[in-house]
Amino acid sequence: MINMKRLFLILILTFSFQSLSKADDITDFQIEGISIGDSLLDHFDITKIKEGLKDWYPDKTFSYSEFRDKKIKQFDKLGFFFKTEDNSYKIYSISGIKFCTKNIKTCYDFQNEIEKEFEKVSSIKPTKKTIKYPTSDNAGAGSFAKQSIYLFDNGDAVFIETKNWANDSKFHDNISLNADSKFFGDWLSSVSN
């Protein structure tokens, strides 16, 4: 009987370590229970997706939909990029956005919490930086963002950013958690230059 218990324990530990070692694949990470590669239709209905469409880029390779929903618990809204002509709405990029209208410390605390959780299940070390925004884009003097970027070996990325907007800015303080496939990241770089 003792040997069976040991065997059972060894099997449990083996499967636990195997799942941890697989945590460096972006599809293992979820934002509000949704992963890169999922069909957006598995989580939201087509009406909601179409109502949230935004026209941000002249290149129509990807479409973007952003919305609030009662299913969303940790964030105020979610955003998704999917190929424009793809009727299955496969997700290539997902973002969760939370507003911190009363106190920016709420955003920083949430960012620290996300980073700690991410680092528990991933061996990827972040690149951290602070970005100052120019005042010409309605950001207001003194606006900046604290970023943590986790880059996977295959080029996929998780990006956490807290934006601390100046008081004279038209924007609201917020934190965003983004998961981007390499394919999407390459496209975004090409249309942003």
Side-chain angles (χ1 to χ4, degrees), residues 56-57 59 61-62 64 81 92-93 159 178 180-193:
W56 286 352
Y57 298 98
D59 180 316
T61 303
F62 282 95
Y64 178 75
F81 278 95
Y92 286 84
S93 174
F159 182 81
N178 305 279
D180 297 337
S181 67
K182 179 184 185 311
F183 185 77
F184 170 78
D186 289 346
W187 171 82
L188 186 61
S189 292
S190 74
V191 297
S192 298
N193 294 330

mmCIF file of all heavy atoms in Angstrom, residues 56-57 59 61-62 64 81 92-93 159 178 180-193:
data_model
loop_
_atom_site.group_PDB
_atom_site.id
_atom_site.type_symbol
_atom_site.label_atom_id
_atom_site.label_comp_id
_atom_site.label_asym_id
_atom_site.label_seq_id
_atom_site.Cartn_x
_atom_site.Cartn_y
_atom_site.Cartn_z
ATOM 1 N N TRP A 56 -9.206 51.508 -36.213
ATOM 2 C CA TRP A 56 -7.999 52.220 -35.813
ATOM 3 C C TRP A 56 -6.900 52.226 -36.858
ATOM 4 O O TRP A 56 -6.069 53.116 -36.873
ATOM 5 C CB TRP A 56 -7.438 51.621 -34.526
ATOM 6 C CG TRP A 56 -8.222 51.963 -33.306
ATOM 7 C CD1 TRP A 56 -9.252 52.850 -33.197
ATOM 8 C CD2 TRP A 56 -8.038 51.433 -32.009
ATOM 9 N NE1 TRP A 56 -9.722 52.902 -31.923
ATOM 10 C CE2 TRP A 56 -8.983 52.029 -31.152
ATOM 11 C CE3 TRP A 56 -7.171 50.505 -31.464
ATOM 12 C CZ2 TRP A 56 -9.084 51.742 -29.808
ATOM 13 C CZ3 TRP A 56 -7.274 50.222 -30.117
ATOM 14 C CH2 TRP A 56 -8.215 50.829 -29.301
ATOM 15 N N TYR A 57 -6.851 51.200 -37.689
ATOM 16 C CA TYR A 57 -5.728 51.075 -38.620
ATOM 17 C C TYR A 57 -6.225 51.002 -40.066
ATOM 18 O O TYR A 57 -7.193 50.302 -40.349
ATOM 19 C CB TYR A 57 -4.911 49.813 -38.304
ATOM 20 C CG TYR A 57 -4.286 49.839 -36.926
ATOM 21 C CD1 TYR A 57 -4.891 49.189 -35.854
ATOM 22 C CD2 TYR A 57 -3.107 50.534 -36.701
ATOM 23 C CE1 TYR A 57 -4.316 49.224 -34.591
ATOM 24 C CE2 TYR A 57 -2.530 50.580 -35.442
ATOM 25 C CZ TYR A 57 -3.140 49.921 -34.391
ATOM 26 O OH TYR A 57 -2.585 49.960 -33.137
ATOM 27 N N ASP A 59 -4.663 49.498 -42.452
ATOM 28 C CA ASP A 59 -4.404 48.114 -42.867
ATOM 29 C C ASP A 59 -5.464 47.233 -42.210
ATOM 30 O O ASP A 59 -5.567 47.176 -40.985
ATOM 31 C CB ASP A 59 -3.005 47.686 -42.418
ATOM 32 C CG ASP A 59 -2.664 46.266 -42.819
ATOM 33 O OD1 ASP A 59 -3.522 45.368 -42.658
ATOM 34 O OD2 ASP A 59 -1.537 46.035 -43.272
ATOM 35 N N THR A 61 -5.792 43.948 -42.129
ATOM 36 C CA THR A 61 -5.441 42.549 -41.860
ATOM 37 C C THR A 61 -6.143 42.075 -40.593
ATOM 38 O O THR A 61 -6.678 40.973 -40.532
ATOM 39 C CB THR A 61 -3.910 42.388 -41.710
ATOM 40 O OG1 THR A 61 -3.284 42.862 -42.898
ATOM 41 C CG2 THR A 61 -3.537 40.936 -41.467
ATOM 42 N N PHE A 62 -6.130 42.951 -39.562
ATOM 43 C CA PHE A 62 -6.768 42.637 -38.294
ATOM 44 C C PHE A 62 -7.893 43.619 -38.014
ATOM 45 O O PHE A 62 -7.839 44.777 -38.419
ATOM 46 C CB PHE A 62 -5.760 42.702 -37.141
ATOM 47 C CG PHE A 62 -4.871 41.502 -37.036
ATOM 48 C CD1 PHE A 62 -3.618 41.504 -37.621
ATOM 49 C CD2 PHE A 62 -5.283 40.363 -36.354
ATOM 50 C CE1 PHE A 62 -2.784 40.406 -37.528
ATOM 51 C CE2 PHE A 62 -4.464 39.265 -36.260
ATOM 52 C CZ PHE A 62 -3.210 39.275 -36.845
ATOM 53 N N TYR A 64 -10.369 45.020 -34.624
ATOM 54 C CA TYR A 64 -10.307 45.158 -33.166
ATOM 55 C C TYR A 64 -11.713 45.396 -32.620
ATOM 56 O O TYR A 64 -12.457 46.218 -33.150
ATOM 57 C CB TYR A 64 -9.406 46.337 -32.788
ATOM 58 C CG TYR A 64 -9.316 46.599 -31.308
ATOM 59 C CD1 TYR A 64 -8.551 45.775 -30.483
ATOM 60 C CD2 TYR A 64 -9.999 47.652 -30.730
ATOM 61 C CE1 TYR A 64 -8.461 46.014 -29.123
ATOM 62 C CE2 TYR A 64 -9.911 47.906 -29.371
ATOM 63 C CZ TYR A 64 -9.143 47.078 -28.570
ATOM 64 O OH TYR A 64 -9.063 47.320 -27.223
ATOM 65 N N PHE A 81 -7.960 41.496 -30.889
ATOM 66 C CA PHE A 81 -7.626 41.571 -32.301
ATOM 67 C C PHE A 81 -7.800 40.193 -32.911
ATOM 68 O O PHE A 81 -7.370 39.184 -32.337
ATOM 69 C CB PHE A 81 -6.178 42.034 -32.506
ATOM 70 C CG PHE A 81 -5.997 43.518 -32.420
ATOM 71 C CD1 PHE A 81 -5.610 44.107 -31.226
ATOM 72 C CD2 PHE A 81 -6.191 44.335 -33.533
ATOM 73 C CE1 PHE A 81 -5.422 45.479 -31.137
ATOM 74 C CE2 PHE A 81 -6.010 45.707 -33.456
ATOM 75 C CZ PHE A 81 -5.619 46.277 -32.253
ATOM 76 N N TYR A 92 -5.788 36.788 -31.700
ATOM 77 C CA TYR A 92 -4.341 36.934 -31.845
ATOM 78 C C TYR A 92 -3.766 37.874 -30.794
ATOM 79 O O TYR A 92 -2.571 37.866 -30.536
ATOM 80 C CB TYR A 92 -3.998 37.456 -33.245
ATOM 81 C CG TYR A 92 -4.167 36.410 -34.309
ATOM 82 C CD1 TYR A 92 -5.409 36.155 -34.877
ATOM 83 C CD2 TYR A 92 -3.082 35.657 -34.745
ATOM 84 C CE1 TYR A 92 -5.578 35.188 -35.849
ATOM 85 C CE2 TYR A 92 -3.236 34.686 -35.714
ATOM 86 C CZ TYR A 92 -4.484 34.452 -36.271
ATOM 87 O OH TYR A 92 -4.642 33.474 -37.223
ATOM 88 N N SER A 93 -4.619 38.692 -30.220
ATOM 89 C CA SER A 93 -4.209 39.614 -29.165
ATOM 90 C C SER A 93 -5.414 39.866 -28.257
ATOM 91 O O SER A 93 -6.530 40.021 -28.739
ATOM 92 C CB SER A 93 -3.729 40.937 -29.761
ATOM 93 O OG SER A 93 -3.469 41.884 -28.739
ATOM 94 N N PHE A 159 2.415 41.899 -21.883
ATOM 95 C CA PHE A 159 2.781 43.289 -21.672
ATOM 96 C C PHE A 159 1.858 43.862 -20.601
ATOM 97 O O PHE A 159 0.640 43.815 -20.753
ATOM 98 C CB PHE A 159 2.595 44.005 -23.021
ATOM 99 C CG PHE A 159 2.959 45.443 -23.052
ATOM 100 C CD1 PHE A 159 4.272 45.833 -23.192
ATOM 101 C CD2 PHE A 159 1.981 46.424 -22.979
ATOM 102 C CE1 PHE A 159 4.609 47.176 -23.261
ATOM 103 C CE2 PHE A 159 2.297 47.760 -23.038
ATOM 104 C CZ PHE A 159 3.629 48.139 -23.186
ATOM 105 N N ASN A 178 -1.858 42.821 -21.556
ATOM 106 C CA ASN A 178 -1.983 42.424 -22.956
ATOM 107 C C ASN A 178 -1.222 41.135 -23.202
ATOM 108 O O ASN A 178 -0.099 40.967 -22.717
ATOM 109 C CB ASN A 178 -1.391 43.498 -23.877
ATOM 110 C CG ASN A 178 -2.012 44.847 -23.634
ATOM 111 O OD1 ASN A 178 -3.075 45.141 -24.121
ATOM 112 N ND2 ASN A 178 -1.349 45.671 -22.827
ATOM 113 N N ASP A 180 -0.026 39.076 -26.613
ATOM 114 C CA ASP A 180 0.058 39.218 -28.070
ATOM 115 C C ASP A 180 0.814 38.052 -28.686
ATOM 116 O O ASP A 180 1.912 37.719 -28.228
ATOM 117 C CB ASP A 180 0.805 40.505 -28.451
ATOM 118 C CG ASP A 180 0.107 41.771 -27.997
ATOM 119 O OD1 ASP A 180 -1.120 41.735 -27.788
ATOM 120 O OD2 ASP A 180 0.796 42.803 -27.864
ATOM 121 N N SER A 181 0.230 37.472 -29.724
ATOM 122 C CA SER A 181 0.965 36.466 -30.486
ATOM 123 C C SER A 181 2.059 37.170 -31.286
ATOM 124 O O SER A 181 1.954 38.366 -31.582
ATOM 125 C CB SER A 181 0.032 35.721 -31.431
ATOM 126 O OG SER A 181 -0.435 36.598 -32.444
ATOM 127 N N LYS A 182 3.119 36.456 -31.628
ATOM 128 C CA LYS A 182 4.194 37.026 -32.434
ATOM 129 C C LYS A 182 3.644 37.521 -33.778
ATOM 130 O O LYS A 182 4.016 38.587 -34.247
ATOM 131 C CB LYS A 182 5.303 36.011 -32.667
ATOM 132 C CG LYS A 182 6.449 36.556 -33.521
ATOM 133 C CD LYS A 182 7.482 35.510 -33.825
ATOM 134 C CE LYS A 182 8.681 36.062 -34.581
ATOM 135 N NZ LYS A 182 8.400 36.872 -35.745
ATOM 136 N N PHE A 183 2.758 36.740 -34.377
ATOM 137 C CA PHE A 183 2.184 37.106 -35.675
ATOM 138 C C PHE A 183 1.510 38.482 -35.587
ATOM 139 O O PHE A 183 1.715 39.343 -36.428
ATOM 140 C CB PHE A 183 1.186 36.033 -36.126
ATOM 141 C CG PHE A 183 0.637 36.247 -37.491
ATOM 142 C CD1 PHE A 183 1.388 35.951 -38.615
ATOM 143 C CD2 PHE A 183 -0.641 36.760 -37.675
ATOM 144 C CE1 PHE A 183 0.886 36.159 -39.898
ATOM 145 C CE2 PHE A 183 -1.154 36.969 -38.946
ATOM 146 C CZ PHE A 183 -0.378 36.666 -40.052
ATOM 147 N N PHE A 184 0.723 38.693 -34.534
ATOM 148 C CA PHE A 184 0.070 39.981 -34.339
ATOM 149 C C PHE A 184 1.102 41.074 -34.056
ATOM 150 O O PHE A 184 1.022 42.175 -34.609
ATOM 151 C CB PHE A 184 -0.945 39.917 -33.193
ATOM 152 C CG PHE A 184 -1.446 41.277 -32.817
ATOM 153 C CD1 PHE A 184 -2.404 41.901 -33.587
ATOM 154 C CD2 PHE A 184 -0.929 41.946 -31.712
ATOM 155 C CE1 PHE A 184 -2.859 43.183 -33.260
ATOM 156 C CE2 PHE A 184 -1.378 43.214 -31.381
ATOM 157 C CZ PHE A 184 -2.328 43.833 -32.161
ATOM 158 N N GLY A 185 2.069 40.788 -33.182
ATOM 159 C CA GLY A 185 3.099 41.771 -32.837
ATOM 160 C C GLY A 185 3.873 42.239 -34.052
ATOM 161 O O GLY A 185 4.176 43.429 -34.196
ATOM 162 N N ASP A 186 4.208 41.300 -34.954
ATOM 163 C CA ASP A 186 4.916 41.663 -36.184
ATOM 164 C C ASP A 186 4.054 42.578 -37.052
ATOM 165 O O ASP A 186 4.535 43.567 -37.599
ATOM 166 C CB ASP A 186 5.302 40.408 -36.970
ATOM 167 C CG ASP A 186 6.407 39.606 -36.301
ATOM 168 O OD1 ASP A 186 7.067 40.134 -35.370
ATOM 169 O OD2 ASP A 186 6.623 38.442 -36.709
ATOM 170 N N TRP A 187 2.761 42.243 -37.154
ATOM 171 C CA TRP A 187 1.850 43.080 -37.936
ATOM 172 C C TRP A 187 1.747 44.481 -37.323
ATOM 173 O O TRP A 187 1.838 45.487 -38.028
ATOM 174 C CB TRP A 187 0.460 42.444 -38.015
ATOM 175 C CG TRP A 187 -0.550 43.354 -38.626
ATOM 176 C CD1 TRP A 187 -0.770 43.568 -39.963
ATOM 177 C CD2 TRP A 187 -1.493 44.192 -37.934
ATOM 178 N NE1 TRP A 187 -1.772 44.499 -40.137
ATOM 179 C CE2 TRP A 187 -2.240 44.891 -38.912
ATOM 180 C CE3 TRP A 187 -1.772 44.415 -36.584
ATOM 181 C CZ2 TRP A 187 -3.239 45.796 -38.576
ATOM 182 C CZ3 TRP A 187 -2.757 45.327 -36.243
ATOM 183 C CH2 TRP A 187 -3.479 46.001 -37.233
ATOM 184 N N LEU A 188 1.587 44.543 -36.002
ATOM 185 C CA LEU A 188 1.442 45.834 -35.330
ATOM 186 C C LEU A 188 2.688 46.706 -35.540
ATOM 187 O O LEU A 188 2.572 47.898 -35.799
ATOM 188 C CB LEU A 188 1.176 45.633 -33.837
ATOM 189 C CG LEU A 188 0.859 46.880 -33.032
ATOM 190 C CD1 LEU A 188 -0.400 47.561 -33.547
ATOM 191 C CD2 LEU A 188 0.700 46.523 -31.557
ATOM 192 N N SER A 189 3.857 46.076 -35.458
ATOM 193 C CA SER A 189 5.096 46.829 -35.713
ATOM 194 C C SER A 189 5.130 47.363 -37.134
ATOM 195 O O SER A 189 5.553 48.503 -37.366
ATOM 196 C CB SER A 189 6.315 45.933 -35.484
ATOM 197 O OG SER A 189 6.438 45.608 -34.127
ATOM 198 N N SER A 190 4.654 46.574 -38.083
ATOM 199 C CA SER A 190 4.694 47.003 -39.489
ATOM 200 C C SER A 190 3.730 48.151 -39.762
ATOM 201 O O SER A 190 4.027 49.020 -40.589
ATOM 202 C CB SER A 190 4.406 45.827 -40.420
ATOM 203 O OG SER A 190 3.026 45.481 -40.402
ATOM 204 N N VAL A 191 2.594 48.206 -39.105
ATOM 205 C CA VAL A 191 1.635 49.287 -39.365
ATOM 206 C C VAL A 191 1.872 50.504 -38.483
ATOM 207 O O VAL A 191 1.323 51.568 -38.731
ATOM 208 C CB VAL A 191 0.159 48.815 -39.205
ATOM 209 C CG1 VAL A 191 -0.158 47.737 -40.220
ATOM 210 C CG2 VAL A 191 -0.155 48.381 -37.792
ATOM 211 N N SER A 192 2.702 50.353 -37.451
ATOM 212 C CA SER A 192 2.974 51.464 -36.544
ATOM 213 C C SER A 192 4.170 52.300 -36.986
ATOM 214 O O SER A 192 4.419 53.361 -36.462
ATOM 215 C CB SER A 192 3.223 50.940 -35.128
ATOM 216 O OG SER A 192 2.072 50.287 -34.653
ATOM 217 N N ASN A 193 4.942 51.796 -37.932
ATOM 218 C CA ASN A 193 6.132 52.516 -38.404
ATOM 219 C C ASN A 193 5.838 53.407 -39.576
ATOM 220 O O ASN A 193 4.969 53.309 -40.304
ATOM 221 C CB ASN A 193 7.245 51.529 -38.771
ATOM 222 C CG ASN A 193 7.738 50.812 -37.538
ATOM 223 O OD1 ASN A 193 7.706 51.351 -36.455
ATOM 224 N ND2 ASN A 193 8.177 49.596 -37.720
#
